[in-house]
Amino acid sequence: MSSRLPVQRWRIAETDTDKVNLLVQSTGLSPLMAQVLINREITTPEKAEIHIDPESQSLPSPLAEFPDLEKSVELLISAIENEEIIAICGDYDADGMTSTALLIRALRHLDGIVDYAIPSRMKEGYGINNRIVEEFAEMGVGLILTVDNGIAAHEPIALAIDLGMSVIVTDHHDLPPTLPIADAILNPKLLPLSSPYSGLAGVGVAYVLAVTTAQRLGKLKGLTDQLLELFTLGTIADLAPLVGVNRRWLKRGLKRLPKSNIAGIQALMAVGNIDLEKKQLNPDDIGFQLGPRINAVGRIGDPQAVIELLTTEDLEVAQQRAIECEQTNRERQRLCEEIEREAIEIIEKTPIHWQSDRVLLIVHHNWHHGVIGIVASRLLERYGVPVFIATKEDDHHIRGSARGIDEFNVFSALEYCRDVLGKAGGHKMAGGFSLPAQNLELFREKLVEFAHQLLEPEHLKPLIKIDGSANFKDLTPHLYQQIESLHPWGIANQIPCFWTPNVRVIEQQIIGKSHVKLTLAQDDDVQIKAVAWRWAIYFPFPFRLDVAYKLRQNVWNDNVAIEMELLGVRLPARTNSDIVKGKFEHEGRFYTCSYWPSLQEIRIKNQEGKVLAVKKGQRIGLLGMNRDNSQEVEVTKPQFYGLIKTAMKVLHL
């Protein structure tokens, strides 16, 4: 019997009626969707036009935005014309692997001689290293091209320069205090935030370089679609912000993917059960189907399988590699569930003082560091606190991943702890790190010190950002179509979240291992189905709830229904007129119960119709079929006390 609800903080956007009316008139959107745009800082008809139709914006040339792009193009063209080997050093996540595949395809198309290397996640960790540089030198490489890494790789890049190779760094990670001595550096973090290119992921930087080089050589024809498709895969899988050029190019790419001519993408969509009859994919198709299958290989498998998948022209090879991705992803899911279960047990049974520390640091032997970043995200969702999770690889070395909340910058936290760490890097919301085992307590102390500078206790709850209030009658197919028309939704442009107060729970049941399916209704009896993923731990829900949700479309046997995906629930604000009701099982018998605020009375009814009524704080209650023939009973007796205690949990009293 659950007596809990998710511990959350709700941030409900304020409505500006004048701005809403202006956008409704200029765009034809519903008031709810106009409010959504305003919450995304799209407050004028001009901004709304660009958001709705990104192609209407006049883009500056990337050559004018990236200071080293011209030099990078010249270095690439020189290497191609002089038949030098161009070596790509990628990364083992989806961004790095799609970036690597994109540049391999581009350079082959441009008649370049190209090879690649990706560091071993298990043995070497993230980024270009001296071993890779030395192997490139032995191969006779003339130009090294890093993708999705390199911005902090001072020593390997200096070694490459000393060995006579040129180096172009393409990366998007946050900038270290000093930059490496590469021949050229392309990183959107070097651009002003106002630049439409400032949100590019690593694959976006690779895309800009490849397209600009192909244009300069007059060989873009036949290359555009395949590069756009890989850009789309990598950008969404890396959780890059879906604004600026990302939004513009992704709208094109999502339309292209169902018609992809890349054998590996076709095979990946087949194992991911993607409906190829769709006019376009949406970000969830990549975020929940394609991206995890690619990422799983980089986390616990051999990234070469993904590079082959995305660069081969052989359908049979593509199908084999896609099956490998599928199998590896299933193993990744198993590992994540196992580690998450162990981590929760440690947190809740060991005195880890994450509330007072304002940061959660958990370290354990033999966790697979390839998947602990996913577990960190799940723990953050559960506890609402910045999470640093690590594994002891042996008695001397620790490696970990981190995930942050809005008020906490992971990259800054790692920089604050730099003197006790080995390697470290990342973004505002996520990062990776390593450290000597003997520095663990020092690391914990510095993390706590940093967290206390930024966070207050009220920050330590998962944040639900809500766009506005909606009645169930507003949740129509027309509203859903407007939401769909404004894709892509994603990071920095989250899919709309609405809320409805004081709804009734008509039906609820657990489905699968850990999900809850509900039927909800407002007092006018308008009903809607809802699903709450991974929330069986809160089952059963009380009879009345405030609900926060996004909309989803359920298609079954040609029937289309709009449903809710619950993101948040809380108890409604209670008035004296609100009667709270519930159902429960106690010692093998079923009961209904209710709380009457005006009387401060709990009533519990059994299957025979007999009612136990007791006022809060009273030791004597009434038991009978009605008040006229009821008898007084002492409710502190065991047979009544357990019954009342269970009812109070159900009613959340």
Side-chain angles (χ1 to χ4, degrees), residues 625-630:
M625 300 300 287
N626 56 61
R627 285 187 183 272
D628 293 336
N629 63 7
S630 62

Side-chain angles (χ1 to χ4, degrees), residues 388-403:
F388 289 72
I389 182 172
T391 181
K392 286 186 177 179
E393 299 183 304
D394 52 44
D395 291 337
H396 306 291
H397 301 96
I398 292 173
R399 289 176 65 180
S401 290
R403 297 294 184 271

Side-chain angles (χ1 to χ4, degrees), residues 151-152 172-179 185 187-191 411 415 426:
I151 198 64
H172 71 123
H173 291 94
D174 286 349
L175 305 175
T178 58
L179 299 177
I185 296 176
N187 188 321
K189 295 294 193 300
L190 292 166
L191 308 182
F411 179 78
E415 285 295 305

Side-chain angles (χ1 to χ4, degrees), residues 220-481:
L220 188 57
K221 187 176 181 181
L223 190 60
T224 305
D225 286 345
Q226 54 185 299
L227 299 190
L228 184 62
E229 291 163 19
L230 292 170
F231 163 82
T232 302
L233 272 183
T235 297
I236 294 174
D238 196 59
L239 305 181
L242 305 191
V243 296
V245 294
N246 283 346
R247 179 170 175 78
R248 180 185 182 120
W249 295 340
L250 287 173
K251 283 185 80 75
R252 299 180 197 168
L254 289 166
K255 291 177 181 176
R256 272 290 322 154
L257 280 169
K259 303 184 284 288
S260 176
N261 290 320
I262 295 177
I265 291 179
Q266 293 174 2
L268 198 63
M269 289 193 291
V271 299
N273 295 317
I274 300 292
D275 180 7
L276 298 184
E277 298 301 316
K278 287 185 175 183
K279 292 182 179 178
Q280 65 177 52
L281 299 193
N282 64 51
D284 282 356
D285 292 321
I286 296 173
F288 294 108
Q289 300 297 328
L290 306 184
R293 287 169 168 81
I294 294 173
N295 258 324
V297 175
R299 290 181 181 280
I300 63 174
D302 182 358
Q304 184 172 338
V306 173
I307 305 303
E308 289 183 11
L309 172 76
L310 297 177
T311 57
T312 186
E313 304 299 335
D314 187 319
L315 283 173
E316 187 174 334
V317 170
Q319 289 167 352
Q320 291 171 350
R321 297 295 172 264
I323 291 169
E324 287 178 35
C325 290
E326 174 69 14
Q327 293 169 339
T328 306
N329 189 49
R330 289 179 182 173
E331 174 64 9
R332 188 272 306 167
Q333 290 171 325
R334 186 193 67 78
L335 285 171
C336 284
E337 289 176 3
E338 180 181 299
I339 295 171
E340 181 184 8
R341 185 170 58 252
E342 291 175 356
I344 290 170
E345 185 174 354
I346 292 169
I347 292 164
E348 298 191 353
K349 292 188 177 180
T350 307
I352 296 179
H353 306 295
W354 58 269
Q355 293 99 330
S356 57
D357 289 346
R358 300 181 191 175
V359 64
L360 171 58
L361 173 62
I362 180 169
V363 182
H364 190 64
H365 287 284
N366 300 321
W367 281 344
H368 197 300
H369 71 254
V371 301
I372 55 176
I374 299 172
V375 178
S377 296
R378 293 181 181 177
L379 295 178
L380 183 147
E381 179 182 323
R382 184 183 182 99
Y383 296 105
V385 63
V387 175
F388 289 72
I389 182 172
T391 181
K392 286 186 177 179
E393 299 183 304
D394 52 44
D395 291 337
H396 306 291
H397 301 96
I398 292 173
R399 289 176 65 180
S401 290
R403 297 294 184 271
I405 62 177
D406 278 12
E407 297 84 1
F408 183 97
N409 188 310
V410 170
F411 179 78
S412 298
L414 293 173
E415 285 295 305
Y416 189 83
C417 303
R418 177 64 68 179
D419 58 337
V420 301
L421 295 175
K423 295 177 72 173
H427 310 279
K428 179 181 186 295
M429 300 302 288
F433 58 92
S434 63
L435 69 152
Q438 67 265 24
N439 287 357
L440 179 59
E441 285 310 309
L442 286 172
F443 180 46
R444 188 188 307 275
E445 289 171 10
K446 290 187 75 70
L447 270 182
V448 171
E449 191 176 277
F450 180 81
H452 275 257
Q453 294 174 17
L454 297 171
L455 302 178
E456 297 298 331
E458 61 264 25
H459 294 140
L460 305 184
K461 299 176 184 176
L463 175 63
I464 309 297
K465 298 178 183 178
I466 298 172
D467 286 297
S469 175
N471 291 315
F472 282 7
K473 66 178 185 298
D474 299 325
L475 309 180
T476 62
H478 180 65
L479 175 65
Y480 185 81
Q481 288 166 8

Side-chain angles (χ1 to χ4, degrees), residues 104-122:
I104 289 172
R105 282 185 168 273
L107 292 170
R108 285 176 179 170
H109 181 86
L110 300 176
D111 299 321
I113 303 170
V114 59
D115 208 334
Y116 74 95
I118 294 177
S120 165
R121 183 169 203 145
M122 298 299 293

